Amino acid sequence: MARRPHVMVVAPPAQGHVRPLLKLSHQIASQGIKVTFVNTEIIHSKVVAAMSDSKNEEIGGVTLVSVPDGVGQEDDRKDIFKFTECFQRTMPGNLKDLIQRTNDSNEDEPIRFVLVGATIGWLLDVVQDLGIKQAAFWTGSPAGLAFFCHVPKLIEDGVLDMNGNIVENDQASISEEIPAWNCSELPWHFPGEQKLQKLFFDMGLVIRPTAQHVKWILCNASYELHSQACDLVPNILPVGPFLTTTENSASTGSFWLEDTSCLSWLDGQEAGSVVYVAFGSIAVFSQQQFDEIALGLELSGQPFLWVVRSDLANGSPVAYPDGFLERVADRGKIVEWAPQENVLAHPSIAVFLTHCGWNSTMEGASLGVPFLCWPYFADQFYNQKYICDIWKVGLKVNPGEDGIRSRTEISTKIQQGICDDNIRINASKRKDLCQKCLSKVIEKAPSLEDNTKGAPGMVRDGGTRYKRN
Ligand code: UDP
């Protein structure tokens, strides 16, 4: 067998990073490149357990491997401060060992290239020391990447303080071409939780040095659809949007087993009638808010498919309002985890009630589904702005003064979302645009080893910035 080039992909330990990186890995592997995909041990065991063929850790040229995350106690993993400290301290050494072991057992096909999630870009020093070429992958929107890259300048200009607070105005702007960030849209905004805000702000400070360090920073977007934001990051390489295809669906990188029974249930529903409700992998709700979601779905009168992770009720066992499950039995389907892209592609889906994570945003937009937006944290508030104000493909589900989204608000927005022709037409147009750009990574990407070329349709200007041809 001919020797293959060998790429190692290192994923940050979160669902929203693992899934897009695995999609990208499958595309790279489909070009005859060997890919070794690295998760932490805990994440690796979740991904493998959720695979349709969980005995096989090599799928379509992608080999799944793991490294310890350096955290001793299970409890410490729930403590984000302890976890971050242990992870950052031990990961460089663990990755270095893994690279050396992998090369020792693959003498014919040593690792030629390492791609890491940009949020763990501090790992690249180790890769550099080993003399291996590198790139980074940004999981969020190009606008979010541009914002993080501009943070040092915003601090220098006195717009942000060292804790990430906006100093004077209520907004931070990096360009007139894209919307400014309001205080509540800052990716590290955690009202009343200064320590957590500082942790997220400091984690974000790694993005700019990472982007400067690598020749290319890849992301799940397309230049055609996000040109203004892309133009703000000189070496961005937008290679999305990604959708799971049938050939790579055996390992989607999900942390939970996908319950495919919902697809046959959707087959039995009327076209354009079902509300799909899914808040990604991290969002949690108080019992009061959980009850309002249930009662709002009931009040709407629409059929619904609701993803209720076992940890959705903030650590408590999930408890539905009295009699709810019986009352909605003939029109509600609840699963712990759904095959989301298949669901969004189903003709019965009317609207997507979502937390606006970037992956969910790109999936919904690529499949032309109108959104009902309920951002939870990080970049999701800014993504909502794109969905509702720029693309005009969704509506906001607003909280009341007590911070709770009421059953009436939820039900009203479901009805409005279903009846709004403009939003439906815009969503369908957006789908057409996205489908034209669907990721064909190898066609789109210049050689990752060649820094003389820019992204497609772009030329290098003065060695540091790109301009459109
Ligand atoms: N997802 C899924 N099934 C579900 C819910 C979510 O496969 O029931 C996937 C979804 O398709 C997306 C990812 O999980 O690819 C969630 O990423 P996102 O950035 O939207 O949110 P996060 O989990 O990072 O908050």
Side-chain angles (χ1 to χ4, degrees):
M1 191 174 161
R3 286 184 201 174
R4 294 165 296 174
H6 188 171
V7 174
M8 179 174 266
V9 177
V10 189
Q15 180 72 96
H17 296 264
V18 172
R19 273 178 60 90
L21 272 166
L22 198 52
K23 289 181 194 177
L24 177 59
S25 297
H26 280 297
Q27 297 211 16
I28 295 172
S30 71
Q31 304 300 311
I33 295 170
K34 179 178 169 63
V35 182
T36 298
F37 192 93
V38 186
N39 276 310
T40 63
E41 283 170 356
I42 299 286
I43 301 297
H44 175 81
S45 57
K46 288 185 188 183
V47 167
V48 171
M51 274 163 37
S52 50
D53 178 5
S54 59
K55 286 187 276 312
N56 192 353
E57 296 187 4
E58 169 155 3
I59 294 155
V62 179
T63 307
L64 304 178
V65 300
S66 63
V67 279
D69 59 15
V71 181
Q73 306 284 328
E74 183 52 40
D75 277 354
D76 291 349
R77 219 164 260 118
K78 291 184 191 138
D79 178 337
I80 187 162
F81 299 98
K82 272 193 196 165
F83 176 81
T84 307
E85 188 278 314
C86 293
F87 183 66
Q88 293 186 348
R89 182 165 40 78
T90 57
M91 231 356 229
N94 291 343
L95 182 66
K96 189 173 178 187
D97 289 349
L98 177 70
I99 292 176
Q100 280 164 344
R101 267 185 286 122
T102 310
N103 281 344
D104 288 347
S105 56
N106 285 269
E107 277 181 14
D108 285 351
E109 296 177 336
I111 297 162
R112 296 253 314 271
F113 207 98
V114 174
L115 177 68
V116 302
T119 52
I120 52 172
W122 36 266
L123 280 173
L124 289 172
D125 288 342
V126 168
V127 183
Q128 171 102 338
D129 292 347
L130 293 170
I132 301 174
K133 292 187 162 51
Q134 312 134 41
F137 177 83
W138 173 251
T139 320
S141 70
L145 174 60
F147 189 62
F148 276 110
C149 287
H150 282 75
V151 164
K153 178 88 172 78
L154 291 170
I155 295 174
E156 195 184 305
D157 292 349
V159 177
L160 292 177
D161 68 19
M162 288 307 292
N163 294 316
N165 298 304
I166 296 181
V167 176
E168 269 178 16
N169 301 318
D170 280 347
Q171 290 196 324
S173 170
I174 58 167
S175 157
E176 288 186 357
E177 302 290 325
I178 62 171
W181 277 253
N182 296 325
C183 291
S184 60
E185 292 163 346
L186 294 174
W188 47 81
H189 180 68
F190 289 95
E193 299 196 59
Q194 283 299 317
K195 212 174 144 202
L196 197 56
Q197 164 163 327
K198 179 75 176 136
L199 180 79
F200 272 73
F201 181 62
D202 287 347
M203 285 199 282
L205 286 175
V206 75
I207 303 300
R208 184 182 164 88
T210 298
Q212 284 177 323
H213 177 87
V214 292
K215 280 179 187 156
W216 298 109
I217 183 154
L218 285 68
C219 76
N220 177 11
S222 84
Y223 183 79
E224 289 79 356
L225 296 176
H226 306 102
S227 56
Q228 286 144 328
C230 289
D231 282 344
L232 298 169
V233 184
N235 53 342
I236 196 168
L237 185 57
V239 291
F242 304 137
L243 279 183
T244 301
T245 56
T246 39
E247 54 286 10
N248 65 29
S249 59
S251 79
T252 58
S254 280
F255 292 3
W256 292 266
L257 198 59
E258 292 174 1
D259 185 340
T260 49
S261 69
C262 59
L263 296 176
S264 43
W265 180 84
L266 288 174
D267 289 341
Q269 306 303 316
E270 268 179 45
S273 68
V274 176
V275 185
Y276 173 54
V277 188
F279 299 102
S281 59
I282 297 171
V284 290
F285 298 101
S286 65
Q287 186 61 49
Q288 185 190 359
Q289 184 61 87
F290 185 82
D291 289 350
E292 290 302 310
I293 301 173
L295 297 171
L297 291 171
E298 182 180 353
L299 191 61
S300 76
Q302 294 295 135
F304 63 85
L305 169 60
W306 184 10
V307 176
V308 180
R309 302 186 328 265
S310 50
D311 57 353
L312 192 65
N314 208 4
S316 310
V318 169
Y320 296 93
D322 272 352
F324 167 77
L325 291 176
E326 294 74 28
R327 292 195 300 275
V328 298
D330 61 342
R331 65 181 173 86
K333 173 84 177 160
I334 295 174
V335 294
E336 191 179 10
W337 195 249
Q340 179 157 299
E341 286 146 283
N342 299 60
V343 166
L344 289 169
H346 199 282
S348 67
I349 297 297
V351 285
F352 179 17
L353 177 53
T354 171
H355 68 309
C356 309
W358 184 247
N359 294 293
S360 294
T361 300
M362 290 306 283
E363 290 158 6
S366 304
L367 292 162
V369 182
F371 292 87
L372 299 177
C373 298
W374 184 325
Y376 177 71
F377 83 139
D379 57 350
Q380 297 157 11
F381 291 88
Y382 193 76
N383 296 343
Q384 167 180 256
K385 198 169 203 162
Y386 264 80
I387 294 170
C388 297
D389 304 340
I390 308 225
W391 303 335
K392 299 192 192 312
V393 295
L395 299 172
K396 296 175 187 164
V397 181
N398 294 313
E401 280 177 10
D402 56 357
I404 296 286
R405 272 121 173 140
S406 71
R407 67 192 80 172
T408 323
E409 168 70 3
I410 295 166
S411 158
T412 306
K413 288 294 160 63
I414 288 174
Q415 287 309 332
Q416 285 177 4
I418 290 176
C419 298
D420 192 319
D421 288 340
N422 288 335
I423 286 184
R424 219 182 22 255
I425 291 165
N426 290 340
S428 162
K429 285 187 189 153
R430 189 104 211 131
K431 172 182 175 180
D432 293 344
L433 290 171
C434 289
Q435 294 284 336
K436 280 191 200 133
C437 304
L438 274 189
S439 180
K440 293 192 189 75
V441 173
I442 304 301
E443 263 174 41
K444 286 185 173 190
S447 161
L448 289 172
E449 297 184 13
D450 176 1
N451 68 345
T452 58
K453 287 185 234 161
M458 302 170 99
V459 290
R460 190 157 258 211
D461 163 32
T464 53
R465 296 200 69 82
Y466 294 111
K467 280 188 178 161
R468 291 293 286 167
N469 272 332

